[in-house]
Amino acid sequence: MRMKVMQDKELDKLLAVAANQAPRPSAGFMDRVLADALSLQPKPAELPQRPSPTAEGLVARIAVLFGGAPALAGVCSAAVVGLAFGYLNPTTLDVLTGGLTGAETLEMFPSADFLTTEG
Amino acid sequence: MALDAQDTTSDEALMVLYANGDRHAAMALTQRVTPRVLAYASRMLSGDRAEAEDVAQETMLRLWRMAPAWRQGETKVTTWAYRVATNLCIDRQRSRRRKGQVTLDDAPDLADGAPGADQRLQDGRRMLALEAALAELPDRQRQAVVLRHIEGLSNPEIAAVMEIGVEAVESLTARGKRALAAVLSGQKEALGYEDEGHAG
């Protein structure tokens, strides 16, 4: 008795048809899966909030304008030193400048006349 | 950043984006992975659509839950998903066998596109016969045949899913196909295959 055997070629063709006829998910099913995904999704990490400048004192706000407390301290120190120079006796300044301020004139380029002299 | 199923971002990168709270990554992964898992589960469960959807949804749930612990480079998302779906399908098959359920009534929903009603009917009969024949195979052979010849995975990918060697995959696939041919041979005429005169 002859038996009808399924050939490899026929089986491969059948499997290829099956591969092309994959069941398609319904829109409702996809929506359910997506709803699961969104409900289980971890929340994005929140960045730590900087305190608002308005919530701080006036000094802190000014410090921010100057680039921070250390910078403001430097500016204040310079201002104090400037005021001190302004009010102190000039002779006292000689100590710092080595007597330069006592000079009548100070020629920075003593021999620069040749630049402006013709001939 | 808009991501969809056609985006070139890898599934593994999408998992990281998903874990960081990116909603578009959730959508892209859903669109990419869910249809494949559903199709696979449907083949493994003899076309039982409702059960296949349960398996696919449960597989995706587990994927979402493990996303924060996902480590890139260790395994592919689809490999992981097929593996989880396989285990869920096997559990359900064992449960069915205990209950003695008949599965042929659960015909798969066939995609449109067949050229005509007769062809469509014949394709439907053939698919039902294939589902029934697949159901008769041992679990491992069925997995190997479905993953290789219907889902289109490579042998190394199947080896990763089944956690066996490539040679074992080749052996399972070959034996599975021989067993399928043997089961379907008795229905050749009914399925519209012409006898080519090969004696067995």
Side-chain angles (χ1 to χ4, degrees):
Chain A
M1 179 181 165
R2 286 169 63 191
M3 185 178 168
K4 295 161 184 168
V5 178
M6 169 149 284
Q7 304 300 306
D8 274 352
K9 198 169 60 180
E10 291 166 336
L11 183 56
D12 287 341
K13 201 172 168 184
L14 184 58
L15 289 166
V17 171
N20 287 329
Q21 293 188 343
R24 295 173 186 166
S26 66
F29 175 66
M30 291 294 278
D31 287 346
R32 288 202 301 278
V33 173
L34 182 59
D36 287 343
L38 295 176
S39 68
L40 291 171
Q41 186 167 31
K43 299 287 173 274
E46 289 185 11
L47 293 173
Q49 285 193 339
R50 285 181 61 180
S52 162
T54 55
E56 298 171 0
L58 181 63
V59 175
R61 291 167 63 183
I62 294 172
V64 169
L65 287 176
F66 279 89
L72 181 62
V75 169
C76 289
S77 302
V80 169
V81 171
L83 281 173
F85 283 159
Y87 283 104
L88 284 177
N89 189 330
T91 55
T92 314
L93 290 176
D94 289 347
V95 177
L96 300 172
T97 60
L100 277 178
T101 55
E104 293 279 330
T105 57
L106 177 63
E107 288 193 32
M108 298 302 289
F109 299 101
S111 59
D113 287 347
F114 73 92
L115 293 173
T116 57
T117 306
E118 288 186 15
Chain B
M1 180 169 54
L3 301 166
D4 57 28
Q6 282 76 43
D7 191 272
T8 53
T9 310
S10 71
D11 293 344
E12 293 68 40
L14 286 176
M15 283 291 280
V16 175
L17 289 172
Y18 171 80
N20 287 333
D22 188 324
R23 290 171 62 89
H24 296 297
M27 287 183 240
L29 277 171
T30 300
Q31 288 172 24
R32 282 188 196 178
V33 183
T34 308
R36 297 181 70 175
V37 175
L38 177 67
Y40 173 62
S42 183
R43 300 298 180 201
M44 291 294 290
L45 295 168
S46 307
D48 186 327
R49 182 63 178 244
E51 279 213 273
E53 285 193 354
D54 284 349
V55 165
Q57 191 167 6
E58 176 62 25
T59 301
M60 297 306 290
L61 267 175
R62 294 186 186 190
L63 185 72
W64 308 134
R65 287 194 182 116
M66 73 97 56
W70 185 265
R71 296 169 70 171
Q72 279 202 84
E74 287 195 354
T75 185
K76 287 176 67 178
V77 172
T78 46
T79 300
W80 185 92
Y82 278 127
R83 197 181 295 157
V84 171
T86 298
N87 292 334
L88 291 170
C89 287
I90 289 172
D91 288 347
R92 284 173 185 258
Q93 284 159 353
R94 285 178 184 155
S95 172
R96 274 178 174 183
R97 282 173 199 148
R98 279 197 296 272
K99 291 176 188 169
Q101 288 180 347
V102 177
T103 59
L104 263 180
D105 290 339
D106 302 317
D109 292 341
L110 300 175
D112 291 334
D118 289 345
Q119 183 66 43
R120 192 183 165 110
L121 197 62
Q122 189 175 66
D123 281 349
R125 275 200 299 267
R126 287 176 177 177
M127 287 305 104
L128 278 175
L130 179 63
E131 302 283 4
L134 281 169
E136 290 190 28
L137 298 186
D139 290 340
R140 305 288 276 175
Q141 287 182 22
R142 181 167 60 252
Q143 284 170 47
V145 170
V146 170
L147 288 171
R148 182 76 187 91
H149 294 286
I150 299 180
E151 298 304 315
L153 269 64
S154 66
N155 284 343
E157 285 174 318
I158 299 168
V161 171
M162 298 180 72
E163 297 177 282
I164 56 176
V166 173
E167 285 182 7
V169 171
E170 289 167 356
S171 168
L172 280 171
T173 310
R175 281 186 286 145
K177 278 187 74 178
R178 278 200 298 274
L180 266 186
V183 173
L184 290 169
S185 289
Q187 307 170 53
K188 265 191 79 173
E189 217 165 334
L191 295 175
Y193 290 108
E194 290 177 11
D195 184 13
E196 294 175 5
H198 296 277

